[in-house]
Amino acid sequence: MTMTHLLGTHVPTSGGVSSAFRNALAMGCAAFQVFTRNPNQWKSKPLEEADIAQFRALTDETGIVPAMSHDSYLINLATPKGDLRHLSLAAFQDEIERAAALGIPCVVTHMGAHMGEGEEAGLARLIESLDRTCAATENCPVKILLETTAGQGTYLGYRFEHLACVLAGVSDPARIGACLDTCHIYAAGYDIATREGYESVMEAFGQTVGFERLCAFHINDSQKPLASHADRHAHLGEGTLGLEPFRWLVNDPRFFHLPKILETPQMETRGKENLDRLKGLVQ
Ligand SMILES: [Zn+2]
């Protein structure tokens, strides 16, 4: 049996949400990630029936997998601030409903920032936010993917233990999965730049979170060094990780079935080049 590798990129959607497919085809994506709305604004225009129909038709016609949407950058599900949390919960629920309408199976979110309240309180609030969201969207067949972070500021999610804590704490763990970002974990201090490091980091993830929880990868090199706690994506092979960790990752049979999505800089002009580089590593 030949295995189709679900390699792709985050695709721009400036021409409407369905333009994702045109961009994905042009770049040679087998799978992609999108924003279904402007990620820097709270307000979003509702999706039109025609947009939804076109997106679903293109999913069938092209065979390209719309693997996941990424939620708004403004959302903070762990914040102690009542007004910000209120806006975040509404926007996050909206994103899940949009994904469900479009037939996108997963929504990726960051784990939020505790804003000085402490990690334990932040994680507890995140769990409560996820429970409220899952209850409000119980008919949406959409999985929420918690993305690992670089650990900048008071952001949660820079330790695998944070993911494990949330998965153990939520009422409906079947709705929640994990998205591993190579740049973020390296910046957080997980050294995947050497072969032994790669093996022990993945082993630690399997032990702490469980591979059955892992639903996707974000594939990015890092501009900043190990444990820098800085979130700066680099082109593949041009950062502090280098190409080899990506070769190990795309050829790791534990992860063959998982979408691997690039979020490298200058996606419009250099996305295809990065994706071709990633494809070239498959043995
Ligand atoms: Zn990412």
Side-chain angles (χ1 to χ4, degrees), residues 164-177:
C165 164
V166 172
L167 285 162
V170 291
S171 311
D172 192 358
R175 288 282 304 276
I176 319 281

Side-chain angles (χ1 to χ4, degrees), residues 207-221:
Q207 295 281 332
T208 312
V209 184
F211 291 129
E212 72 283 2
R213 294 291 181 192
L214 187 57
C215 298
F217 284 94
H218 281 169
I219 302 289
N220 302 301
D221 206 331

Side-chain angles (χ1 to χ4, degrees), residues 130-168:
L130 291 169
D131 280 349
R132 280 167 67 169
T133 303
C134 287
T137 61
E138 66 178 342
N139 297 319
C140 294
V142 173
K143 209 159 184 174
I144 297 166
L145 304 190
L146 303 174
E147 179 174 356
T148 54
T149 62
Q152 67 279 39
T154 66
Y155 269 98
L156 303 165
Y158 64 93
R159 299 289 311 165
F160 296 157
E161 286 78 4
H162 292 176
L163 286 162
C165 164
V166 172
L167 285 162

